Amino acid sequence: MQRAIWIIAAVAFFAWSVLAWLGNAMLGWLAEFVAGNAGQLTVGDELAGWLSWAAALADSAGGALIVIIWLLGSVTIAVAAVVISRLAQWHSGSQRSHAYKTLPPGWRR
């Protein structure tokens, strides 16, 4: 049971990491698209400069935010795996101890 819990946690961590990587890639692609086409997306040159600057800011701040969210999600996955593992261990230990609540036959006090 312990091995299955940790395998599931590893798969969840891998999926979470791939999701964060894809989000970061999409954010970078979108920022490059907006910065490269700022002149066509706006009416004036001044507004295009501001849009290009805002896209670069969103790319860098968004990248940092994605890393922070990824880190929080990874810690959550690890804590959940530890808690579930401990609960499974505690539950299986309490089931085994039920059989030995009485003294075996032939035991002398």
Side-chain angles (χ1 to χ4, degrees):
M1 183 69 172
Q2 300 289 326
R3 184 174 291 169
I5 291 169
W6 287 104
I7 289 173
I8 291 170
V11 170
F13 175 75
F14 179 75
W16 180 247
S17 296
V18 168
L19 184 67
W21 178 75
L22 286 173
N24 192 24
M26 289 298 293
L27 182 67
W29 177 81
L30 186 63
E32 282 183 27
F33 176 78
V34 169
N37 295 315
Q40 296 172 349
L41 296 172
T42 60
V43 177
D45 289 338
E46 185 176 330
L47 193 57
W50 279 101
L51 185 61
S52 179
W53 175 82
L57 179 67
D59 185 28
S60 61
L65 186 63
I66 286 174
V67 169
I68 291 169
I69 292 171
W70 171 81
L71 185 61
L72 290 173
S74 298
V75 168
T76 302
I77 291 170
V79 167
V82 167
V83 167
I84 293 170
S85 176
R86 296 282 170 107
L87 286 174
Q89 186 179 15
W90 175 75
H91 181 61
S92 67
S94 67
Q95 284 181 343
R96 277 190 239 129
S97 65
H98 269 303
Y100 302 107
K101 291 243 183 226
T102 60
L103 295 174
W107 177 268
R108 290 186 241 174
R109 288 186 184 199

